[in-house]
Amino acid sequence: MKKQKATKRKVRFNPDNIEVTAKQGDNLLQVAINAGVAITAACGGNGTCGTCKVIIEKGEVESQLTAKLSTEEYERGVRQACQSRIITDVTVNIPVASRLERAVLTREEKEAPGAIATGWQFNPPLRKLYVELPPPTIEDNISDLDRLLRGLKKQYHLSNMSVHFSAVQKLAAALRKGKWKVTVTTLVTALKTSERQKRRLRIIDIQPGDTREQHYSLAFDIGTTTVHGQLLDLTHGRVMAHKIELNRQAGYGADVISRIAYSQKPKGLQKLQQVVVQNINNIIKELLHQTGVDRQNIGHISVAGNTTMTQLLLGLDPKYIRLTPYTPTASFFPPVRADSLGIDVGDTVNLFTFPAVASYVGGDIVSGIVGSGVYQRPELTYYIDIGTNGEIVLGNQDWLVTASCSAGPAFEGGGIRHGMVATAGAIEDCDIKPDYEPVVGTIGDAAPKGICGSGLINTVAGLLNAGIIGRNGHFNTDLDTDRVREGEDGYEYVICRADETATGQDIVITEVDIDNLMRAKAAMYAGCQTLTKSVSLTCADIERVIIAGAFGNSINVENSITIGLLPDLPRDRFTFIGNGSLLGARLTSFSTDILDDARRVAGMMTNFELSENTDFMNNYIAALFLPHTHTGEFPSVMAGERGSLKTQKGGLTV
Ligand code: FES
């Protein structure tokens, strides 16, 4: 039977004014994400979060009235994008509450002086060597390749090199075009940590003339939420340009578990790989555009990501990552030709991915440990990457233990009534005055749209310090303020009133939100206690805390200790490192020493599976208080160093 061709439909997204062609019946959220429209989809298209609401301005979609829509909204043309199928040409408006502001995706990373790996030399694994060769004569008519290898041996004392076939294919023409002066690109292929001088080199490219100044590579951090890319100048050891995009896989699931579930659908794995490669290609295009660098001068790509992101990029079925006993396909992934994955670079460009430790402790954490130099120093360091998974590492130059804490999505605004990711308009600062009135700061100083993870921590600490909630996270309902009221999820506190917000609705924090945050912070703290106990130490023994991750950059240490997320240590022991994963990816591009170390560090890290650990469960239950059931764990908080719990009003110090 002849297959019917799907009817094409035009879809316009406002206010970005992006127009794309889609097929009749296509899912509107998928079309938006594929078109690069910055739309929120916190539940990854399951229909349960209601964050993907759009307004159909013109045309028709097929979509039901769901529990996430009021009748009034439905009549106004509001629909959940993930629950809508395209019927005719449509014009769709992304309202402010559903929009992810791109501008904030370029928020500055805080650098971390003193928390970066040291002792390495600038010796990129990708090198460019300029050679001048004598032209062949009738007396000296050895092959072009033998001539090149002879020249490299003479000029650089290099031998035992392998050659990529595509370099051989270019050789004859390049030598003659360059009048026997060429630039050879080599890549370290075998690492020998004990005999660094014996690293094996492979010739991967030949260019006519001297092109040593055009020498670049790319470093990527593939995060579950965002993809960060940097173009690196390997001649001068600097970052030339930086670009961040939302991970396009977000439309297929907000977290790694839902992405793994999607990958099991027909062609699901292929789709997830394809969209993250689109992210990478788009970032490369933008970086080249910003700098004027020629694509053919990119010689290498270094990628760090969690185990699921790495496997999805490489097209490896991640199914067993989420099935007990939680096994990744490999802990060390051999380098792969980038173009074979669909990445738009030359055919000699290798893609290096960081080794993983376990299913939920991936290359991003290894990269962070390498980049921050935790493995080089004697002091006991607690490395914490706060996100949905909440990975933690404890150790020093002699040993490293690690675990993933399953903190849940609260730190990224998930499961919170007015939660949102940290983009423009997200409330990130919230202090509460003695008269119970809040002082609010938003990202980009924009009108408030919702509350992000760091805002949530600050708000809960503020509520606790002001005595509006007790240590059990419940509201004191006897206070003289109308900000505490009864809402649809029980008691809530109004952070911003409707006339102050971008959404035209009150922004509140509910008891359920506070409970979700308490569970998330309890998982992180219990993880820290369990790891320290596993090596016969306590949290108080930690000499340094390194906080990594985009979210980590903006958290307030004092408030995080107040709620019991971070251990109560002298404040000068805390350091922010920014995107540790990208830092490690960058350093491995600059130094073969660091590249050697990456594999060694992954081998040093012992993983603790916390999900079935009794100690962890006990610690977790004890941590479900603000800051903790055992007050002795948080001496400075209980002593009221900030004038907080001691001066609580309302007598809710439970
Ligand atoms: S309801 Fe559509 S993405 Fe969550």
Side-chain angles (χ1 to χ4, degrees), residues 29 41-45 47-52 80 82:
L29 178 66
C43 72
T48 51
C49 69
T51 58
C52 64
Q80 280 169 270
C82 69

